[in-house]
Amino acid sequence: MQFTETPPPPLHQNSISPCSNFIMSSKNNSQFHRTRPWPGFSTPSNKALGSVKDANCMEQLLVHCANAIESNDATLAQQILWVLNNTAPPDGNSNQRLTCGFLRALISRAAMTGSCKMLTAAMANTQPNHAIHTHKFSVIELASFIDLTPWHRFGFVAANTAILEAIEGFSVVHIVDLSSTHCMQMPTLIDAIANRPEGPPFIKLTVGSCDAGVPPMLDIAYEDLGAKLVSFARSRNVAMEFKVIPSSYSDGFASLIEHLRVQQLVFTDRNEPEALVINGHMKLHYIPDETLGEIHHHNPYYSMEPSFSSTTSLRCAFLKALRSLNPTIVVLVDEDADFTSTNLVSRLRSAFNFLWIPYDAVDTCIRRGSKQMEWYEADLCWKIENVIAQEDVQRVERLESKSKWVQRMRNANFRGVSFSEEAVTEIKHMLDEHAAGWGLKKEDEEDHLVLTWKGHDVVFATAWVPSY
């Protein structure tokens, strides 16, 4: 795929493309040559493959296939899957591997939803080839893995500089780490805090329970991870306590919010200043975006709150609950895409036109065929399958764009704060360690920061304080 400085146009125009020609002609074609056949079905000829290796065509074929599966048209779905199977091998270029991930996800959706039963049965023997085996990282492996690209490091650097400025002068700092990277940001933050001119504060680090089955995954319990972090802090002459609160994104971290309320009341009685830091790193999008009325049985805490109506979004309820805690700073870092649509085709298009970025970028830093490449792309395939094959509470990959999160934060009575020039300088120095395609830009009046790849928005970083 040839990428320009602006994202590719949407691929749902009404014009007839080579892909559309293939779809129309394949319905009437009964003589097929099998290159990589699907058992039990006839398949199109090699001539049909000539012009469908373009990424735009691959996206259109995936859309046609999704529609065929949703309408239970097993014959058409099989024919499209055959073409994708022969044009998008799992060991191909970045666009082919991306398409292969979506191919696997559509097969999984057909199996999970029970649509196209004839197709699912015929492909039963090929299912092992589509299994996703995510890796459980050791702490050292995960730390090294994260350092391969700026995908997470960008948010780490931006958040740490904002947090350091916000906690200046506080003798006690309570950090609530809502991160998908299992506290991998904390060592660099602890290092920076240790070097504070007025001396380090006492740190209370609180995390929710580990999200079972959501990559990246750790091979140790959070309690053991906490012991390592406390030991590391001690080596830097920083006193720290670590606490795990059983809590889940599925109910908007209700038990965590209640724990923070109680702890805040206890600490207020001591009459000591405590900074409350909420560090949201690529995890808040796991919170369901439905209204409380739709999922009230998962949210006993929010259901009892008189200020939250049955039509309040659970995400909005969570942010308003955070605001009631009067935090010193809230940092929100996430991927800049929208996977929240209830329409499968809309989600597929959004995901395809965003997830080419990690597939394209990984080729610059990881050797093809290596274990690290295998781990990296298995996690991406898990993400694609979750977006495409799963529904309801099982679909946790519900990214929202930066503009939507900004509006949510403002509605919850937060105001944005700008990142310092020091943060910008540190990020630029960090990006210099990586491939030339990575970039940085500022947006909006609050100067939110956005990581880019070849001019395309990837990850945003925002910082917020209570608005009075």
Side-chain angles (χ1 to χ4, degrees), residues 320-336:
K320 288 178 180 178
L322 282 187
R323 174 61 183 84
S324 70
L325 296 171
N326 198 32
T328 307
I329 190 169
V330 176
V331 180
L332 175 57
V333 175
D334 218 322
E335 296 162 331
D336 198 0

Side-chain angles (χ1 to χ4, degrees), residues 137-152:
F137 292 88
S138 70
V139 172
I140 294 176
E141 282 178 340
L142 184 57
S144 299
F145 194 70
I146 285 172
D147 283 345
L148 289 171
T149 75
W151 203 276
H152 291 290

Side-chain angles (χ1 to χ4, degrees), residues 237-300:
N237 295 317
V238 176
M240 188 177 86
E241 69 174 27
F242 181 90
K243 186 169 292 186
V244 182
I245 304 300
S247 190
S248 171
Y249 52 78
S250 64
D251 66 357
F253 302 105
S255 58
L256 176 61
I257 291 291
E258 181 60 20
H259 169 79
L260 294 175
R261 284 192 191 282
V262 172
Q263 289 297 303
Q264 199 169 61
L265 289 173
V266 171
F267 200 83
T268 300
D269 291 341
R270 298 179 187 174
N271 199 28
E272 295 180 62
E274 174 180 301
L276 176 60
V277 175
I278 309 296
N279 185 59
H281 184 92
M282 299 191 189
K283 192 168 188 175
L284 299 191
H285 71 258
Y286 293 164
I287 300 173
D289 55 320
E290 290 93 346
T291 65
L292 291 174
E294 292 176 286
I295 51 177
H296 66 277
H297 54 287
H298 293 297
N299 296 274

Side-chain angles (χ1 to χ4, degrees), residues 93-141:
N93 63 34
S94 60
N95 293 318
Q96 290 171 319
R97 303 195 311 274
L98 168 69
T99 303
C100 182
F102 279 87
L103 165 70
R104 290 168 169 163
L106 287 171
I107 292 170
S108 294
R109 184 176 181 88
M112 291 177 185
T113 61
S115 62
C116 299
K117 291 183 179 178
M118 182 172 63
L119 172 66
T120 304
M123 290 162 47
N125 292 333
T126 69
Q127 278 299 308
N129 296 327
H130 297 279
I132 299 173
H133 302 288
T134 52
H135 178 66
K136 284 195 173 183
F137 292 88
S138 70
V139 172
I140 294 176
E141 282 178 340

Side-chain angles (χ1 to χ4, degrees), residues 5-19:
E5 289 301 306
T6 56
L11 300 172
H12 40 275
Q13 297 95 335
N14 294 324
S15 58
I16 300 297
S17 69
C19 301

Side-chain angles (χ1 to χ4, degrees), residues 97 107 148 170 173 180 186 218 311-312 317 391:
R97 303 195 311 274
I107 292 170
L148 289 171
F170 284 92
V173 176
S180 64
M186 291 301 110
L218 276 180
T311 58
T312 300
E391 294 292 353

